[in-house]
Amino acid sequence: MRLLISLLLVAYLPFASATTETDIQKNVTAFYTFYLHEINHDVSPDNIIKMEQMHKWVSATLLKRMDEIYSMPEQELLMADYFTYAQDAFPEWEKTINVSPASLDGQSMKLDVWLGQQNSEHAHLQVWTRKENGHWKIWRVVDAGDNIEQKLY
């Protein structure tokens, strides 16, 4: 009986891992769909980070740090929007979000995110998530296309 249970567990493990990776992929896709929708409806990033929905996808530490930065008079720490690394988001981005499955990177899961852009170019980001209160949440974003990181953590 133990042998049968062991064989079933061994057969299940690859699927359990894939579920975590694709669940994180779906969460990051949902985040960018929400975030870009809000940006495209003229909601400023400093107001978006205060929305309750953000706590589903973004770590509390990152949200707190971003709120502190946005509260600074004449803040100059952020060169561009942290989650898109752009001064302006294009409306097409909301419809052309591509996210890779997550891969293990130390204690985090890392994903590549491509936001469609004009002239067949894409904004290429790398997003790191880690578990917080039982859920995988974004804690770091890097502009992989231009190799730029705004270190907020």
Side-chain angles (χ1 to χ4, degrees), residues 116-131:
Q117 206 172 31
Q118 295 174 332
N119 302 325
S120 300
E121 294 180 19
H122 300 281
H124 180 199
L125 308 169
Q126 288 183 319
V127 176
W128 279 261
T129 64
R130 63 178 162 208
K131 272 206 169 171

Side-chain angles (χ1 to χ4, degrees), residues 100-119:
S100 72
S103 61
L104 189 61
D105 185 27
Q107 298 289 326
S108 301
M109 296 293 273
K110 182 174 86 171
L111 306 94
D112 285 289
V113 175
W114 294 270
L115 306 175
Q117 206 172 31
Q118 295 174 332
N119 302 325

Side-chain angles (χ1 to χ4, degrees), residues 38-94:
E38 294 301 316
I39 292 284
N40 288 332
H41 285 87
D42 296 323
V43 181
S44 65
D46 57 320
N47 286 324
I48 296 173
I49 63 162
K50 295 175 184 170
M51 294 180 171
E52 187 61 35
Q53 297 97 310
M54 292 290 283
H55 292 276
K56 290 192 299 189
W57 302 297
V58 181
S59 77
T61 304
L62 179 57
L63 288 174
K64 181 179 181 235
R65 179 70 177 131
M66 291 181 77
D67 189 41
E68 290 168 352
I69 290 169
Y70 283 127
S71 298
M72 293 176 184
E74 300 181 34
Q75 79 81 14
E76 294 180 6
L77 294 174
L78 296 176
M79 301 175 296
D81 176 70
Y82 183 74
F83 293 108
T84 63
Y85 277 84
Q87 297 292 330
D88 299 305
F90 297 100
E92 306 86 52
W93 287 6
E94 191 177 339

